[in-house]
Amino acid sequence: MYTRPRRNRKSSAIRNMIEESHLSVNHLIYPLFVTDEENKKTEISSMPNIFRWSKDLIIKEVEECVKLGVQNFVLFPVVQEVKKDKVATYSYADDNFYLEVIKNLKREFPSITLMSDVALDPYSTDGHDGLVENGEILNDETLPILAKMSVAQAQAGIDIIGPSDMMDGRIGFIREMLDESGYSNTSIMSYTAKYASAFYGPFRDALDSAPKAGDKKTYQMNPANKKEAILEAMLDVEEGADFLMVKPALAYLDIIHILNENFTLPVTAYNVSGEYAMLCAAAQKGWLNYESSVQETLLSMRRAGASSILTYFAKDFAKMTK
Ligand code: PBG
């Protein structure tokens, strides 16, 4: 027995010396939900410790996170039913509160990274990411709406546009509109391989954005498939994306791995709401240790090849490691 792998594990110093993957708060992007209200925070029932923040309180929340070392945020709007219509007009309206919050946050905290969500579902009476006609999700008719939304967000000062809608050709379409409007410095993180997943449930509760009819299987990917992820990534690269994303993360570590092996763009993992809920529930029951399970989960995404991770654990992770 010449080879004894345990020799390389015999002390903490040696274990640290040969450690391959690292995880720090620098890698994390914290999702925040914002409402058109004042002085109000409401916990999301299926996501312990995650809140919908009113537009004034979110400023304080970001300040607290920044003090803990969190520097990257993604913002999701909770839109009132009365503001929704079939064509998501409110998504780029001048009086849109989400755009106002983007402006305020970038004014208060110029050095943070602020990422947006681009899709019709928060603004649409149909609750789908694209335009719906006779039960069908129209692709090319959706693109101009996504592009208008993106330009409005760029104008408000967003750092990274985050198209989560899975329409074909949207990255190129949005890139062209951004460039034509003078926003060639605004980045795009494409939701490259976004699967039709059961793990988005708590997020749809948070936003009240579940589809009114049907499901998202004609645009989000089939969980059984891997090759399509490569095709989607090839298109995103061609169309000018700056980052690729895989979503969800935990059940899709092989997809993160294969994109990272085959493409030079950084790959981001979205550790989604259902993954958060499931770990919190087990920890609340005392079945799992919260801190070590969170760290191991996030580290597995880094090991798989994610350079950054969107995660609802970001703030807690910052606290744990401070
Ligand atoms: C919708 C969108 C979803 C998420 C992010 N953007 C839900 C969906 O596709 O239905 C899910 C995020 C999460 O579950 O944490 N454009």
mmCIF file of all heavy atoms in Angstrom, residues 76 117 119 121 129 164 191 194 199-200 203-204 216 220 247 270 272-274 312, ligand 1:
data_model
loop_
_atom_site.group_PDB
_atom_site.id
_atom_site.type_symbol
_atom_site.label_atom_id
_atom_site.label_comp_id
_atom_site.label_asym_id
_atom_site.label_seq_id
_atom_site.Cartn_x
_atom_site.Cartn_y
_atom_site.Cartn_z
ATOM 1 N N PHE A 76 -35.833 41.966 -7.904
ATOM 2 C CA PHE A 76 -37.069 41.485 -8.531
ATOM 3 C C PHE A 76 -38.251 42.339 -8.058
ATOM 4 O O PHE A 76 -38.428 42.530 -6.857
ATOM 5 C CB PHE A 76 -37.321 40.021 -8.170
ATOM 6 C CG PHE A 76 -36.301 39.076 -8.753
ATOM 7 C CD1 PHE A 76 -35.247 38.602 -7.984
ATOM 8 C CD2 PHE A 76 -36.387 38.672 -10.085
ATOM 9 C CE1 PHE A 76 -34.294 37.736 -8.522
ATOM 10 C CE2 PHE A 76 -35.446 37.803 -10.629
ATOM 11 C CZ PHE A 76 -34.400 37.337 -9.842
ATOM 12 N N ASP A 117 -33.997 41.843 -13.596
ATOM 13 C CA ASP A 117 -34.693 40.703 -14.187
ATOM 14 C C ASP A 117 -35.419 41.214 -15.419
ATOM 15 O O ASP A 117 -36.104 42.233 -15.355
ATOM 16 C CB ASP A 117 -35.698 40.128 -13.182
ATOM 17 C CG ASP A 117 -36.387 38.886 -13.723
ATOM 18 O OD1 ASP A 117 -35.688 38.013 -14.273
ATOM 19 O OD2 ASP A 117 -37.623 38.777 -13.605
ATOM 20 N N ALA A 119 -38.109 39.876 -18.091
ATOM 21 C CA ALA A 119 -39.104 38.882 -18.524
ATOM 22 C C ALA A 119 -40.449 39.556 -18.336
ATOM 23 O O ALA A 119 -40.559 40.531 -17.586
ATOM 24 C CB ALA A 119 -39.038 37.620 -17.679
ATOM 25 N N ASP A 121 -43.222 38.136 -17.036
ATOM 26 C CA ASP A 121 -44.109 37.558 -16.005
ATOM 27 C C ASP A 121 -44.461 38.458 -14.805
ATOM 28 O O ASP A 121 -45.608 38.447 -14.380
ATOM 29 C CB ASP A 121 -43.650 36.164 -15.562
ATOM 30 C CG ASP A 121 -42.234 36.127 -15.002
ATOM 31 O OD1 ASP A 121 -41.455 37.032 -15.315
ATOM 32 O OD2 ASP A 121 -41.905 35.194 -14.255
ATOM 33 N N ASP A 129 -43.603 34.503 -19.299
ATOM 34 C CA ASP A 129 -42.427 35.327 -19.565
ATOM 35 C C ASP A 129 -42.489 36.009 -20.926
ATOM 36 O O ASP A 129 -41.747 36.952 -21.201
ATOM 37 C CB ASP A 129 -41.158 34.472 -19.486
ATOM 38 C CG ASP A 129 -40.928 33.933 -18.079
ATOM 39 O OD1 ASP A 129 -41.886 33.964 -17.277
ATOM 40 O OD2 ASP A 129 -39.815 33.494 -17.782
ATOM 41 N N SER A 164 -34.417 36.506 -18.182
ATOM 42 C CA SER A 164 -34.750 35.206 -17.596
ATOM 43 C C SER A 164 -35.877 34.522 -18.357
ATOM 44 O O SER A 164 -36.464 33.562 -17.897
ATOM 45 C CB SER A 164 -35.164 35.389 -16.133
ATOM 46 O OG SER A 164 -36.376 36.123 -16.048
ATOM 47 N N TYR A 191 -29.773 34.054 -18.785
ATOM 48 C CA TYR A 191 -30.240 32.803 -18.181
ATOM 49 C C TYR A 191 -30.140 31.777 -19.312
ATOM 50 O O TYR A 191 -31.101 31.523 -20.024
ATOM 51 C CB TYR A 191 -31.681 32.930 -17.709
ATOM 52 C CG TYR A 191 -31.912 33.708 -16.425
ATOM 53 C CD1 TYR A 191 -31.502 35.032 -16.294
ATOM 54 C CD2 TYR A 191 -32.582 33.122 -15.342
ATOM 55 C CE1 TYR A 191 -31.744 35.747 -15.127
ATOM 56 C CE2 TYR A 191 -32.829 33.830 -14.173
ATOM 57 C CZ TYR A 191 -32.414 35.135 -14.070
ATOM 58 O OH TYR A 191 -32.673 35.841 -12.920
ATOM 59 N N LYS A 194 -32.047 27.560 -18.535
ATOM 60 C CA LYS A 194 -33.059 27.680 -17.481
ATOM 61 C C LYS A 194 -34.071 26.562 -17.690
ATOM 62 O O LYS A 194 -34.744 26.502 -18.724
ATOM 63 C CB LYS A 194 -33.745 29.047 -17.558
ATOM 64 C CG LYS A 194 -34.843 29.205 -16.522
ATOM 65 C CD LYS A 194 -35.395 30.616 -16.500
ATOM 66 C CE LYS A 194 -36.497 30.745 -15.459
ATOM 67 N NZ LYS A 194 -37.075 32.091 -15.439
ATOM 68 N N PHE A 199 -38.629 23.759 -8.705
ATOM 69 C CA PHE A 199 -37.976 24.484 -7.609
ATOM 70 C C PHE A 199 -38.188 26.002 -7.626
ATOM 71 O O PHE A 199 -37.549 26.713 -6.871
ATOM 72 C CB PHE A 199 -36.471 24.152 -7.591
ATOM 73 C CG PHE A 199 -36.193 22.738 -7.141
ATOM 74 C CD1 PHE A 199 -36.006 21.723 -8.068
ATOM 75 C CD2 PHE A 199 -36.134 22.417 -5.794
ATOM 76 C CE1 PHE A 199 -35.760 20.418 -7.658
ATOM 77 C CE2 PHE A 199 -35.893 21.118 -5.369
ATOM 78 C CZ PHE A 199 -35.708 20.111 -6.301
ATOM 79 N N TYR A 200 -39.041 26.505 -8.537
ATOM 80 C CA TYR A 200 -39.306 27.950 -8.565
ATOM 81 C C TYR A 200 -40.549 28.328 -7.761
ATOM 82 O O TYR A 200 -40.922 29.504 -7.709
ATOM 83 C CB TYR A 200 -39.514 28.465 -10.003
ATOM 84 C CG TYR A 200 -38.419 28.122 -10.984
ATOM 85 C CD1 TYR A 200 -38.711 27.934 -12.344
ATOM 86 C CD2 TYR A 200 -37.097 27.989 -10.574
ATOM 87 C CE1 TYR A 200 -37.721 27.620 -13.257
ATOM 88 C CE2 TYR A 200 -36.094 27.666 -11.491
ATOM 89 C CZ TYR A 200 -36.421 27.474 -12.830
ATOM 90 O OH TYR A 200 -35.450 27.159 -13.742
ATOM 91 N N PHE A 203 -40.550 31.296 -5.219
ATOM 92 C CA PHE A 203 -40.331 32.567 -5.916
ATOM 93 C C PHE A 203 -41.640 33.081 -6.512
ATOM 94 O O PHE A 203 -41.961 34.268 -6.422
ATOM 95 C CB PHE A 203 -39.290 32.368 -7.023
ATOM 96 C CG PHE A 203 -39.025 33.574 -7.887
ATOM 97 C CD1 PHE A 203 -37.957 34.414 -7.615
ATOM 98 C CD2 PHE A 203 -39.824 33.864 -8.995
ATOM 99 C CE1 PHE A 203 -37.690 35.518 -8.430
ATOM 100 C CE2 PHE A 203 -39.565 34.962 -9.810
ATOM 101 C CZ PHE A 203 -38.500 35.790 -9.525
ATOM 102 N N ARG A 204 -42.413 32.182 -7.107
ATOM 103 C CA ARG A 204 -43.697 32.604 -7.700
ATOM 104 C C ARG A 204 -44.663 33.048 -6.615
ATOM 105 O O ARG A 204 -45.485 33.939 -6.833
ATOM 106 C CB ARG A 204 -44.270 31.486 -8.581
ATOM 107 C CG ARG A 204 -43.404 31.247 -9.813
ATOM 108 C CD ARG A 204 -43.919 30.122 -10.693
ATOM 109 N NE ARG A 204 -42.933 29.759 -11.729
ATOM 110 C CZ ARG A 204 -43.014 28.680 -12.491
ATOM 111 N NH1 ARG A 204 -44.039 27.862 -12.365
ATOM 112 N NH2 ARG A 204 -42.075 28.429 -13.391
ATOM 113 N N LYS A 216 -44.533 26.396 -18.323
ATOM 114 C CA LYS A 216 -43.506 27.126 -19.078
ATOM 115 C C LYS A 216 -42.649 26.199 -19.942
ATOM 116 O O LYS A 216 -41.559 26.559 -20.369
ATOM 117 C CB LYS A 216 -42.646 27.931 -18.095
ATOM 118 C CG LYS A 216 -43.447 28.998 -17.320
ATOM 119 C CD LYS A 216 -42.567 30.002 -16.573
ATOM 120 C CE LYS A 216 -43.397 31.131 -15.973
ATOM 121 N NZ LYS A 216 -42.560 32.201 -15.375
ATOM 122 N N GLN A 220 -38.967 27.088 -21.292
ATOM 123 C CA GLN A 220 -37.907 26.634 -20.387
ATOM 124 C C GLN A 220 -37.521 25.198 -20.751
ATOM 125 O O GLN A 220 -38.304 24.458 -21.331
ATOM 126 C CB GLN A 220 -38.391 26.736 -18.942
ATOM 127 C CG GLN A 220 -38.721 28.179 -18.569
ATOM 128 C CD GLN A 220 -39.164 28.366 -17.135
ATOM 129 O OE1 GLN A 220 -39.418 27.398 -16.425
ATOM 130 N NE2 GLN A 220 -39.266 29.612 -16.712
ATOM 131 N N LYS A 247 -29.689 27.359 -14.230
ATOM 132 C CA LYS A 247 -30.732 27.526 -13.226
ATOM 133 C C LYS A 247 -31.743 26.395 -13.327
ATOM 134 O O LYS A 247 -32.223 26.145 -14.429
ATOM 135 C CB LYS A 247 -31.408 28.876 -13.473
ATOM 136 C CG LYS A 247 -32.607 29.145 -12.615
ATOM 137 C CD LYS A 247 -33.264 30.427 -13.041
ATOM 138 C CE LYS A 247 -34.480 30.641 -12.158
ATOM 139 N NZ LYS A 247 -35.246 31.768 -12.555
ATOM 140 N N TYR A 270 -27.652 29.685 -10.432
ATOM 141 C CA TYR A 270 -28.758 30.265 -9.669
ATOM 142 C C TYR A 270 -29.283 29.214 -8.698
ATOM 143 O O TYR A 270 -29.968 28.275 -9.076
ATOM 144 C CB TYR A 270 -29.881 30.748 -10.613
ATOM 145 C CG TYR A 270 -30.869 31.704 -9.964
ATOM 146 C CD1 TYR A 270 -31.469 32.714 -10.713
ATOM 147 C CD2 TYR A 270 -31.218 31.611 -8.613
ATOM 148 C CE1 TYR A 270 -32.382 33.598 -10.140
ATOM 149 C CE2 TYR A 270 -32.112 32.488 -8.026
ATOM 150 C CZ TYR A 270 -32.697 33.475 -8.785
ATOM 151 O OH TYR A 270 -33.611 34.342 -8.220
ATOM 152 N N VAL A 272 -31.798 28.405 -6.564
ATOM 153 C CA VAL A 272 -33.135 29.011 -6.603
ATOM 154 C C VAL A 272 -33.929 28.875 -5.298
ATOM 155 O O VAL A 272 -33.511 28.175 -4.366
ATOM 156 C CB VAL A 272 -33.975 28.462 -7.775
ATOM 157 C CG1 VAL A 272 -33.324 28.762 -9.105
ATOM 158 C CG2 VAL A 272 -34.237 26.967 -7.607
ATOM 159 N N SER A 273 -35.106 29.503 -5.316
ATOM 160 C CA SER A 273 -35.953 29.601 -4.118
ATOM 161 C C SER A 273 -36.281 28.242 -3.501
ATOM 162 O O SER A 273 -36.233 28.088 -2.282
ATOM 163 C CB SER A 273 -37.246 30.344 -4.479
ATOM 164 O OG SER A 273 -37.936 29.680 -5.525
ATOM 165 N N GLY A 274 -36.604 27.250 -4.328
ATOM 166 C CA GLY A 274 -36.969 25.932 -3.801
ATOM 167 C C GLY A 274 -35.788 25.244 -3.126
ATOM 168 O O GLY A 274 -35.953 24.501 -2.156
ATOM 169 N N TYR A 312 -30.079 33.053 -2.103
ATOM 170 C CA TYR A 312 -30.783 33.686 -0.981
ATOM 171 C C TYR A 312 -29.998 33.505 0.320
ATOM 172 O O TYR A 312 -30.354 34.089 1.336
ATOM 173 C CB TYR A 312 -32.198 33.100 -0.862
ATOM 174 C CG TYR A 312 -32.982 33.278 -2.151
ATOM 175 C CD1 TYR A 312 -33.026 32.266 -3.120
ATOM 176 C CD2 TYR A 312 -33.624 34.479 -2.434
ATOM 177 C CE1 TYR A 312 -33.701 32.435 -4.327
ATOM 178 C CE2 TYR A 312 -34.304 34.668 -3.632
ATOM 179 C CZ TYR A 312 -34.326 33.645 -4.571
ATOM 180 O OH TYR A 312 -34.976 33.834 -5.768
HETATM 181 C C1 PBG B 1 -39.174 34.527 -14.029
HETATM 182 C C2 PBG B 1 -38.179 34.095 -13.003
HETATM 183 C C3 PBG B 1 -38.358 32.990 -12.177
HETATM 184 C C4 PBG B 1 -37.255 32.954 -11.318
HETATM 185 C C5 PBG B 1 -36.428 34.021 -11.642
HETATM 186 N N1 PBG B 1 -37.005 34.732 -12.704
HETATM 187 C C6 PBG B 1 -39.495 32.041 -12.080
HETATM 188 C C7 PBG B 1 -40.037 31.391 -13.273
HETATM 189 O O1 PBG B 1 -39.387 31.221 -14.296
HETATM 190 O O2 PBG B 1 -41.205 31.010 -13.193
HETATM 191 C C8 PBG B 1 -37.077 31.919 -10.252
HETATM 192 C C9 PBG B 1 -36.079 32.195 -9.188
HETATM 193 C C10 PBG B 1 -36.171 31.334 -7.989
HETATM 194 O O3 PBG B 1 -36.935 30.350 -7.926
HETATM 195 O O4 PBG B 1 -35.443 31.634 -7.035
HETATM 196 N N2 PBG B 1 -38.794 35.277 -15.075
#
